[in-house]
Amino acid sequence: MSESWLCPTDLDRNRVVDANDRVRMIRKVGSGAIGVALIVSAPWLGWWTLILFALSALNFINVDLRLRKSQHPERVSVCAILITMALIAAGVILSGGPRSPALPWLVLPAGMVAARFRPQVVIAGFALTVVVILIATLGVDPQATIHNPVSVIATLALLVAVVSIVRAIEAAELHNRDEATLDPLTGLANRRQLSEDLAAVWSDATPERPVRLLMFDLDGFKAYNDTFGHPGGDLLLSRLSQAFKAAISTYGRAYRLGGDEFCALLWGDCGEQMVKSCLSALSEEGEGFSITSSYGSVMLPQETNDPDLALQLVDQRMYAYKDSSRASAGQQTRDLALQILAAHAPDLHMHSSHVATLVEGVARRLGLEDQELSDAVHAAELHDIGKVAIPFAVLNKPGALDEQEWELMRRHPAIGANILSAAPALMRVAEIVGATHERHDGGGYPRGLTGDQIPLASRIVFVCDSFDAMTSERPYDRGRTEADAIEELRRCAGTQFDPRVVEAFIAEHLARHTAQLAAASTPAPDPALRASLTVSI
């Protein structure tokens, strides 16, 4: 719907329609009372006055139908009020001007304006009514009006009283309505108002005049709240809400659904530029924080004819967008961390890649799928990222580490978890990495977790990491054979390692070893390794 001076926003237009529903009964009762009074007074006023007021009644009977059909109900309402004012003014002029008993009825159109429109229109209506009163009195009989101005003064006083009372009642009603339909923190419309507006615009939405429903969810708001506290979070929501409302402007209406979720109804297909403006409005960056937003969109009625289904669709699309953004951000962050690790210690990068390959097979055997499997593999790739904080002299020391160096080395899982947790998309991976040196019996570090307190992915990484470390050459160790490493895993199952994970690892290693032999067409496997792999735990 296009804007007009009478109703520059859709909220103003809705108030006109709502007011018409509220005052319909008052209008009927008032018109009936005036009609009875006119019939009784006809012998004194003249029967012709009934014609004028009959036309006024017909005007109001027809206005309801025209309001429902019009795209600009405010114009229909104003036209009806102006016709009523003209008819009453004609009746006043023809029945004596300043001496007409119908003179006070001229305040009725101004009261109608006060019940429907915004203050600027009410002031204009008040001024027009004053002009009409003066024309109907001073313009008709100046001498009588000046000689006895009581009726004019009383009518003007009645005009002020009626407009003031109606505006006070209207303001109180709007206040109560706003309390029920406005979010108290941001001043935006709330979920209840969205439901009402969706129902209201549904019948008007057509392919030629579509309505677009947008839903937004802030990314990074929880971290902001944790850092700056709830008062700081409330101030941020208020700032973003005002920017969001300004971005939508007169193209639609902005809503806050609760928490960090926002919504917008846009009249017509405003295009992707409006979406970009909304995303920009719901974003803010500063020292130590970055707030962005994800969104979903549904066009009405092209995509659905059901308001409830529209809300479900837009919610699903918003979270699909959020998940894809997280995946993209997580992939970029993971790649950056791997590049840092490769640049800092190429040997660690190769070791982590090998561990990740082992982890994927073991994790599948233990039933990990989809996101859990992906997190486990990424944790394996990044489990040594905390060692970028360990000096080269300690990492590459040819001999055994002393107690102080071991204390420094034991900190690398926690350091790695802190590095990764700075990226929201890697929070789950960070939790896994932080527990990759916890022992099954509680003797590990940094937190001394036991058994199922340790994430399953962390237990898997621990076994695979230990196996690869035992079979790799170090500055201080030539490395063990795979058979010896398998025996060591078996020996430490139940104390250092989860027995279930060790069993899955041995099964996976046997399958890989068999597949390698088949691919190479080797006559027989290493007997010692074969015996080690096939012995049950």
Side-chain angles (χ1 to χ4, degrees), residues 256-459:
R256 181 189 176 214
L257 304 186
D260 57 357
E261 283 193 348
F262 295 84
C263 193
L265 270 180
L266 303 177
W267 323 131
D269 187 2
C270 299
E272 293 306 311
Q273 185 57 46
M274 174 58 71
V275 174
K276 292 180 181 179
S277 297
C278 291
L279 289 173
S280 177
L282 292 175
S283 302
E284 186 172 312
E285 290 190 6
E287 185 175 351
F289 75 93
S290 176
I291 302 295
T292 57
S293 56
S294 303
Y295 83 99
S297 173
V298 171
M299 291 298 295
L300 316 175
Q302 289 94 325
E303 296 187 83
T304 177
N305 290 319
D306 185 347
D308 294 331
L309 180 58
L311 287 172
Q312 293 177 18
L313 283 174
V314 77
D315 188 68
Q316 292 171 2
R317 291 175 181 178
M318 179 187 71
Y319 280 104
Y321 181 96
K322 182 182 288 288
D323 290 342
S324 66
S325 297
R326 283 174 176 168
S328 176
Q331 184 70 29
Q332 293 175 17
T333 306
R334 165 184 163 274
D335 292 345
L336 176 61
L338 289 174
Q339 290 177 14
I340 293 173
L341 184 62
H344 180 78
D347 291 344
L348 285 179
H349 178 61
M350 293 176 60
H351 160 70
S352 297
S353 298
H354 190 199
V355 172
T357 302
L358 297 174
V359 165
E360 182 174 5
V362 176
R364 289 186 186 277
R365 287 184 176 272
L366 291 172
L368 271 62
E369 298 178 343
D370 301 329
Q371 190 63 57
E372 289 183 335
L373 178 62
S374 175
D375 289 342
V377 174
H378 290 167
E381 293 173 330
L382 298 168
H383 75 279
D384 276 337
I385 189 67
K387 290 183 179 179
V388 298
I390 307 300
F392 284 106
V394 175
L395 286 177
N396 300 310
K397 186 176 180 179
L401 301 180
D402 60 32
E403 184 57 34
Q404 185 176 3
E405 291 168 337
W406 264 118
E407 183 62 30
L408 181 61
M409 186 66 75
R410 290 190 187 99
R411 293 173 56 191
H412 88 264
I415 294 173
N418 288 336
I419 292 173
L420 297 175
S421 63
L426 294 178
M427 288 294 293
R428 294 185 301 270
V429 174
E431 182 182 0
I432 296 170
V433 168
T436 51
H437 284 270
E438 300 286 1
R439 290 171 52 116
H440 189 68
D441 60 4
Y445 57 88
R447 298 169 59 193
L449 302 178
T450 63
D452 291 339
Q453 292 179 339
I454 308 169
L456 176 57
S458 301
R459 288 176 263 159

Side-chain angles (χ1 to χ4, degrees), residues 59-141:
N59 172 52
F60 275 121
I61 291 174
N62 189 37
V63 72
D64 286 337
L65 180 61
R66 286 182 288 154
L67 276 173
R68 286 194 294 268
K69 290 184 175 181
S70 176
Q71 295 185 33
H72 291 280
E74 72 279 7
R75 296 176 184 174
V76 174
S77 182
V78 164
C79 287
I81 292 172
L82 290 176
I83 291 172
T84 299
M85 180 181 290
L87 292 171
I88 294 176
V92 169
I93 292 172
L94 295 174
S95 59
R99 294 181 295 273
S100 172
L103 181 61
W105 295 353
L106 280 172
V107 305
L108 294 177
M112 296 176 188
V113 173
R116 289 169 168 80
F117 292 94
R118 62 194 184 104
Q120 293 90 328
V121 181
V122 174
I123 293 172
F126 180 88
L128 178 61
T129 304
V130 171
V131 171
V132 171
I133 290 174
L134 294 179
I135 291 174
T137 52
L138 277 172
V140 172
D141 194 343

